[in-house]
Amino acid sequence: MTLIEPRKHGDASDGSLGSRLSRLDGRRKITGSATYALEQPVENLVHAVLVQSTIASGRVVSVDKAAAEALPGVLMVLTPDKVFNMMVASDWFGNRVENVPYLPLPAEVNYYGQAVAAVIAETFEQARDAARLVKVHYEETPAVTVIDQGGSGTVTAPMTVEWGDAQAAFDTADITIEAEYRTPREYHVPIEPHGLIASWQDDQLTIWEPSQWTHGMARTYAEWFEIPFENVRIISPFIGGGFGSKGGAYFYGAVAALAARELARPVKLAVTRSQGFTAYGGRASTRQTLKLGASADGVLQAVIHRGANETSTYADFHEGTGAATPIMYAVNNFSSQQGLIKVNTVTPGALRAPGKNPSAYGIECAIDELSYAVGIDPLEIRLRNYADHDYQSGKPWSTRKLREALLAGAERFGWSNRSAAPRSMRDGRTLIGWGIGCGTFPNLTNSSDAMIRILSDGSVEVESAGIDMGQGTYTIVAQTAADALGVSVDRVDVKLGDSVSAGAPVAGGSMLAGSITGAVHKAAQAAREELIGLALNAPNSPFSTSGANTLVIENGRIKTSREDSPSMSIGELMAMLGREKLEVKRDTLPEGTTREEQQKAFTHMSKVRGPTAGEFSIHSWGAHFIEVRVDEDFGTVRVSRIVSAFDCGRLYNPKLAESQLRGGIIMGIGQALLEEGLVDARNGRVVNNNLGDYLVPTNADVPPIEILSVGEPDFEASVLGGKGVGEVGIVGVAPAIANAVFHATGKRVRDLPITLEKLI
Amino acid sequence: MKNFEFSRATSLSDASLRTQEAGVLLMAGGTSLVDLAKCGVTEPDMVVDITRLGGLDQIEVSERGATLGALSRMAAVADHAGIKAEFPAIAQSLSLAASQQLRNMATIAGNLMQRTRCAYFRDPGAFPACNKRQPGSGCSALGGVTRNHAVLGTSRECIASYPGDLAVALLAFDATIETTDRRIPIGEFFLEPGETPHLETLLRPGEIITAIVVPASAAAHRSTYLKVRDRQSYEFAAASAAVGLQLEDDGRTIRDLRVALGGVATVPWRASRVEQALIGQVLDEGTVRQASLLAVEGAVAHGDNHYKIDLVPRVVTRAILTLGGLA
Ligand SMILES: Cc1cc2nc3c(=O)[nH]c(=O)nc-3n(C[C@H](O)[C@H](O)[C@H](O)COP(=O)(O)OP(=O)(O)OC[C@H]3O[C@@H](n4cnc5c(N)ncnc54)[C@H](O)[C@@H]3O)c2cc1C
Ligand code: SF4
């Protein structure tokens, strides 16, 4: 068992990378000097407020806006009947239907709370008041408002995964279990709500908007308005949480930019907390049935999985409930299908560990159910069915230290002291239960570009369009550059979140850290080489007589490797050369990539390499050991202890990685016990669309969480050996809690969240 | 939210006079009023802030009981040593309510006057029908999401639960509400919805709560507030009970018992039947468990909230047994 602590791994880790440096942006955030998008001081600003539909399905027949327009300060009311010259943008993968006009406020109403108009006024209050006076007339059509009304759905054939003969193996298995698991709609509720300020200067568009992907969003705005990519600038230095919800530009961004262009004034549009439940999609509600067949001693013979998720009536979003199922265990007969059920909702979106999360909930509960059916320990059944390679792709794992995670976690947690029978551990009227849940997330890779700038005083600037939404990019980028250059971290200033900077992929799918550090490392190494070359060859070089043909840079000083070497600081070298700055830009794209292809790599997902793109199958892994205390009379569940062990490869900064994993685990507690979008089936309204009623964990709900790291550098996964950290933390938490609740109470709750009425 | 004027009262009578006018509302901590204004439920033309009036935030505890100034902050009462010693249930009802930030801001009179958390009541844009907001318009909650609605004291017109915690503890210990005009026993202060769910308390326009007086009692001294909810903190009660217990000198026979319920009824709810059934009885688990069932006599579920009918007797039982040292 290895506790996360400063460790040295691999070649670049002999300095700051790998150390527990605190977040470099932390102080600014805590003291309030970090400026978020909507706080930008922009002159001459006007305000937009959205008007939302009050029906779930139908069309806008007419909009009566006279009363709104008559209010003082009102500048414009945008309605569906006003068509502007905008074009539909390409999707994430770069597919674009040409010449289709884009209507950010369509007349077709597909869900309750869809924006059908927007009011722009001099002040926010004027816009808000006027928005209330906009009268929308609808023609209503029947709606399907909740997944249960939507029938069995349609199977998405390409998502089907089959090998062996699952049905036959299931039919002849000694022991079988079959169960249905359900998850409700869940929401990101980042503490910084969405919104933007849009401003035009001629045909240049500047957008201050929280963004997980400045390049992708800039591309979308450029396509909407048919202007060159270079004409759009997305500025997003600080983000108050995204969890997947800030990866794209949404209709309201188009509304604000459109209004700004029409009025020739900057427009601010704030999406309110309650609008945030329909302005973009949360996690789709899902259901899945799992049938497991095993031999009498608990060796899996068959896994049959049938899952479905809700999507909207106008677009398909797959929350792949079979995403983790095929890779968790060794099994020779497997079948999985995923369907879609159309519901009148905003199209669901990616929320922390999309697919893997509900998928792990299903398989990890099912394997637990099987362990009881067979009569062996939940830890033992996982070890007995350990997958020594990826059964789905047939490829070897690059690294899979899930066994180590299970053993280390069990040891630390004291799993061997568990008494096997449900309801056998108690403290007065409190039932105690222990559960395990494993998690995984695929290693997605993409290229990055990075700019290193050595300034005249020897300090270093690193620039990237990549972003930091709290996950620690600023810090690990500084650590990477400092190490590769041979300077201390405090000499490095990192500038992120500006689409005019060197390109980077989305901060999503846990792919940014591995990608951006690769490019920064490469650029910084090149900058070091250049500095060394300049130092050797400068006219008055102190090294010209030393006979050295290379130099080292340590702690900002350039010297030979000899003890008695002369030395000079980088700043002194710059002064000697009379240089203001030295810029080095490097990307990790394949040699010879064209400009156009490069642009695609950063603005689309089409260049993302999946976990099995190469010879290996590459994933992050985790195992959660969770104790719950359930009040026998009240059914209230409190999580009292968590030990989670992960294999995320090399950790660039264990403190920040630990903190990300912990954040995911806390979100998992919410998912298991509290979070649920409650929809009024009569009209499709999410009735708990606020933070008073949509419950997320408070500090009091979070027990001590111990994080163990069992990973080793995986150079198949990334340049510097790390695998993804951001998403895997949440995966497996909900099943671990559900399994612990079963162990405590003997009740199997198969629909999340596990609220008290399900246990009394 | 509609724009409104803000003004400060110069005296109680000034506040009283001005708030007799339609559209003029009293404001204390503002945590509930501003919230409802943002939801579009309350649309004042003017608010009159009374928090600068002196002398209304005293907390006094004597042998006879406690007098709590109407403007005492929730946090001040929750942390008051005398209240914690003599009225533990009252202190706990406050410290388990809302969040620390809200408790620092909110007053106890404002707390009593807070309105239901019925999601339909709070969402006039989406759900125009609400008898409490608009008499005669109907009740959107019926047939909707009703997990937090009341099972006791409901009517065909309204099933909204009273969400506050403090009033429940005050009801158990027979507090009196002092206003600018009169003294009102708390048991009469709150009105069940009946056919007029828009009428929630006995307060008349311009009438202002000045203090809350709670008589001392052995039961109050030995009391507890038990609040059950999914989230450990910062959530309204799924069910709560304020209970006070006094035993005879034999240490086992119940001399006095007070039981009031929160989160399950349209008003703070006194479970008198439970009290009557147990006073004079020997305290033991079986008896208490049996008698606690009387707490939900007459309860009616509306869909999602049926669990409350099972939950309430368990909460009452646990609270009594805890006080009696049996849990
Ligand atoms: C997210 C959230 C969670 C909460 N959780 C809980 C909880 O768990 N338990 C709980 O009990 N409460 C809870 N509350 C409610 C909170 O306690 C109340 O908002 C607060 O107590 C109101 O006090 P105030 O002084 O701010 O009242 P204000 O908002 O100023 O006033 C509320 C109402 O009372 C009237 N009023 C105020 N003072 C007087 C007076 N002296 N005489 C006559 N009328 C008066 C006002 O006119 C107004 O109608 C919660 C609130 C929020 C926002
Ligand atoms: S329960 Fe009462 S408050 Fe809620 S909608 Fe019905 S009438 Fe209105």
Side-chain angles (χ1 to χ4, degrees), chain A residues 128 638 680 682 696 757, chain B residues 120 140 147 230-232:
Chain A
R128 181 200 61 201
R638 304 291 181 235
D680 190 311
R682 296 168 300 182
V696 296
E757 68 266 42
Chain B
Y120 299 95
S140 295
R147 181 171 190 256
D230 284 301
R231 188 159 74 175
Q232 181 89 305

Side-chain angles (χ1 to χ4, degrees), chain A residues 225-402:
Chain A
F225 290 98
E226 297 194 285
I227 53 176
F229 173 81
E230 292 70 29
N231 286 22
V232 181
R233 183 173 178 197
I234 307 278
I235 304 175
S236 178
F238 299 106
I239 301 150
F243 312 118
S245 69
K246 290 172 178 167
Y250 298 104
F251 76 88
Y252 57 79
V255 168
L258 189 60
R261 193 183 66 184
E262 295 301 305
L263 294 166
R265 291 179 67 179
V267 171
K268 180 193 278 197
L269 187 151
V271 176
T272 64
R273 178 61 67 190
S274 72
Q275 287 173 345
F277 285 74
T278 52
Y280 52 91
R283 195 195 302 280
S285 101
T286 71
R287 57 188 194 213
Q288 54 185 314
T289 301
L290 275 143
K291 295 191 203 177
L292 305 187
S295 62
D297 55 355
V299 176
L300 272 177
Q301 308 298 323
V303 173
I304 302 176
H305 166 270
R306 296 289 177 263
N309 68 275
E310 63 175 352
T311 188
S312 69
T313 50
Y314 59 99
D316 289 349
F317 181 90
H318 287 98
E319 181 73 31
T321 61
T325 327
I327 61 166
M328 295 309 289
Y329 297 102
V331 65
N332 290 319
N333 303 288
F334 184 91
S335 168
S336 167
Q337 288 181 0
Q338 174 75 15
L340 284 180
I341 298 170
K342 289 202 177 289
V343 173
N344 288 95
T345 169
V346 60
T347 307
L351 202 176
R352 213 163 191 169
K356 302 294 182 234
N357 174 327
S359 180
Y361 167 60
I363 183 70
E364 287 300 295
C365 284
I367 199 84
D368 196 74
E369 300 209 31
L370 184 66
S371 78
Y372 287 92
V374 174
I376 61 175
D377 186 275
L379 173 63
E380 176 56 28
I381 201 164
R382 288 173 166 85
L383 296 173
R384 208 167 278 186
N385 292 288
Y386 196 78
D388 58 354
H389 69 279
D390 176 353
Y391 278 65
Q392 182 179 5
S393 66
K395 293 181 182 181
W397 307 116
S398 56
T399 47
R400 191 196 203 227
K401 303 222 165 273
L402 182 56

